[in-house]
Amino acid sequence: MSSNPSRRVWLSVPHMGGAERRYVDQAWETNWLSTAGPNLEALEREFSQLIGQPCVAVTSGTAAIHLGVRLLGLRPGDEMVTSTLTFVGSCNPVVYEGAVPVFLDSERRTWGMDPQLLSDFLRKRSRVNRLPKAVTVVHLFGQGADMDAILQVCGQYGLPVLEDAAESLGALQRGRHFGTFGAVGAFSFNGNKIITGTSGGILTSDRVDWTDRARFWASQAKDVDPEGVRNYVHSEVGHNYRLSNVLAGIIRGQLEVLEDRVAQRRAVFARYVSELAGVPGLEAMPEWCVAGAGSRSTRYLSSFLVDEEAFGISARSLVRRLDAENIEARPVWRPMHLQPLYARHECVGGSVAADLHQRGICLPSSSSLSSEDQDSVIRCIQKAHLAAVSGRVVSGISAGTPLT
């Protein structure tokens, strides 16, 4: 274990810009310390201006996904196709509503949902009149899936799409934000995201009636009281999902520096690629973008694949080696179909996602990552490779193996 936690190089940490304190102080001074107030209203307005459609601020990205699942009308026993390569928060909300997730594999060019595999699956299901109710597409590590192809496939069968853009705020396709292509989108402001409120999330839809409905559910579904005395009348199940006005202030300040954070994360990734170019067995996550200006990944997490034979050790061993040097790294997500929780659920394909998980590694990617700390990460990776190669050479000599 590391001996100096104060100097640990973390995977992804909050990076304040300065304006956050002003908005939080305003909430404190005016005593708006609840799930209502000026920051909350302003955040929804400003975020809507950013992405170009209505939104509602909630406690987390998972809460936004849950409300989205409800908006799409999922009922007990309904099936919802979802990416298998994701965090569990993408699919647990399906189960909250008694529905059933069906997992679908990734494609290598985007690491997102495979549109061709989705098309084949839906074609087979339509022949037996067993289409799922909806589809969840997850945008990973700051990059969007191929939404053009996925929406075309889903449109053929009349299936609505929910976008989990928790990891991809700021990623664009032809100038349009991922998370706004489907019927519903969800964003996260968790503490390790590209911008943060310590927690928090956003649900968005181009339908105002849907965002209004989500806001109603998020506030414990309090009906308008016909007696006009706030008598707490409820006719539906609601949730305690409304975001705090204080945290909304932090997020407002963070929104002001979103473009800076994207540029900084992309710079971190570019430096890894440049400095590690001579190390065999490392393959950077590809940046897949549709043709046309205004398309980009944010490089939220600098992700690579490790070829154990060429590099010398596995991705898992490299994570452990970095940890021993006080550097936090992690594997690419363990696919849902390999989780004990979902092992009995149907998965369409799965080998690509399993391989990305087995060989993938996410390196420290904070927008505030110093050159010195990134140097430490780079040197550790270089040393790990050289040590592995040296070990092979020594082993070959001791065994009397001819060296070529």
Side-chain angles (χ1 to χ4, degrees):
M1 295 298 292
S2 57
S3 58
N4 185 8
S6 65
R7 282 297 305 135
R8 186 164 176 80
V9 181
W10 298 100
L11 181 73
S12 181
V13 300
H15 185 184
M16 296 294 102
E20 302 87 354
R21 176 66 65 86
R22 182 173 73 252
Y23 295 125
V24 171
D25 286 348
Q26 288 173 0
W28 184 274
E29 291 164 3
T30 58
N31 208 33
W32 280 107
L33 306 175
S34 65
T35 54
N39 279 332
L40 196 56
E41 296 169 3
L43 171 61
E44 291 180 344
R45 182 174 62 253
E46 292 159 3
F47 199 86
S48 293
Q49 291 170 350
L50 173 70
I51 64 172
Q53 62 184 39
C55 69
V56 55
V58 293
T59 52
S60 67
T62 302
I65 294 171
H66 184 200
L67 294 171
V69 168
R70 285 193 66 177
L71 287 170
L72 295 183
L74 273 289
R75 298 288 184 268
D78 288 341
E79 290 182 323
M80 187 168 195
V81 176
T82 186
S83 307
T84 188
L85 188 66
T86 186
F87 177 61
V88 74
S90 296
C91 51
N92 279 351
V94 179
V95 180
Y96 297 167
E97 293 302 306
V100 181
V102 175
F103 302 112
L104 197 126
D105 206 356
S106 301
E107 59 170 350
R108 293 193 182 276
R109 64 182 179 134
T110 67
W111 293 20
M113 181 177 285
D114 186 327
Q116 185 58 56
L117 202 60
L118 177 64
S119 178
D120 295 341
F121 171 71
L122 294 179
R123 186 183 309 112
K124 292 176 182 177
R125 282 298 195 90
S126 68
R127 289 172 181 168
V128 295
N129 198 29
R130 279 194 58 209
L131 283 172
K133 183 82 172 183
V135 174
T136 296
V137 178
V138 183
H139 303 307
L140 291 171
F141 308 131
Q143 177 152 282
D146 186 351
M147 290 305 296
D148 286 352
I150 291 170
L151 288 175
Q152 182 178 19
V153 170
C154 292
Q156 293 175 5
Y157 299 95
L159 298 182
V161 173
L162 188 158
E163 290 179 82
D164 177 355
E167 296 187 0
S168 293
L169 175 60
L172 304 172
Q173 179 170 302
R174 301 190 194 96
R176 184 173 177 180
H177 284 263
F178 286 99
T180 66
F181 290 88
V184 185
F187 297 90
S188 172
F189 303 112
N190 189 36
N192 65 2
K193 295 300 187 289
I194 193 164
I195 62 171
T196 182
T198 71
S199 63
I202 287 278
L203 176 142
T204 183
S205 173
D206 63 0
R207 292 183 53 173
V208 176
D209 60 325
W210 277 21
T211 54
D212 286 346
R213 198 69 186 158
R215 187 176 292 103
F216 169 72
W217 286 334
S219 304
Q220 296 286 23
K222 296 189 286 282
D223 291 340
V224 175
D225 184 2
E227 298 181 25
V229 292
R230 190 172 286 187
N231 201 25
Y232 296 105
V233 177
H234 304 270
S235 56
E236 294 185 60
V237 172
H239 310 277
N240 187 18
Y241 281 171
R242 201 71 167 109
L243 183 66
S244 155
N245 185 65
V246 178
L247 300 190
I250 299 175
I251 299 167
R252 288 186 70 196
Q254 289 273 280
L255 273 182
E256 294 181 8
V257 294
L258 174 60
E259 286 300 308
D260 293 338
R261 300 298 176 255
V262 172
Q264 290 159 339
R265 298 251 178 178
R266 287 182 62 86
V268 167
F269 175 82
R271 186 158 185 259
Y272 279 131
V273 171
S274 174
E275 297 295 326
L276 296 172
V279 180
L282 290 180
E283 177 187 346
M285 179 183 184
E287 180 168 29
W288 176 87
C289 289
V290 297
S295 299
R296 71 180 183 194
S297 162
T298 68
R299 297 301 188 183
Y300 155 61
L301 289 183
S302 292
S303 303
F304 292 77
L305 296 179
V306 179
D307 182 325
E308 182 175 356
E309 180 63 27
F311 184 78
I313 60 175
S314 68
R316 296 291 187 284
S317 295
L318 182 56
V319 169
R320 288 190 287 269
R321 186 71 61 87
L322 288 162
D323 184 63
E325 296 293 328
N326 230 348
I327 296 167
E328 182 188 21
R330 77 175 192 203
V332 166
W333 293 119
R334 178 184 294 273
M336 289 300 102
H337 73 279
L338 298 180
Q339 300 284 354
L341 176 63
Y342 290 118
R344 296 188 178 183
H345 284 65
E346 181 178 0
C347 182
V348 183
S351 61
V352 173
D355 180 62
L356 294 174
H357 165 64
Q358 187 66 30
R359 297 196 296 122
I361 183 171
C362 301
L363 301 178
S365 306
S366 302
S367 51
S368 58
L369 184 67
S370 69
S371 295
E372 293 76 15
D373 282 345
Q374 191 170 14
D375 284 342
S376 297
V377 179
I378 292 166
R379 284 196 300 268
C380 185
I381 293 171
Q382 292 169 334
K383 288 193 300 182
H385 165 65
L386 290 174
V389 171
S390 298
R392 285 179 178 176
V393 171
V394 171
S395 176
I397 292 173
S398 63
T401 303
L403 299 178
T404 58

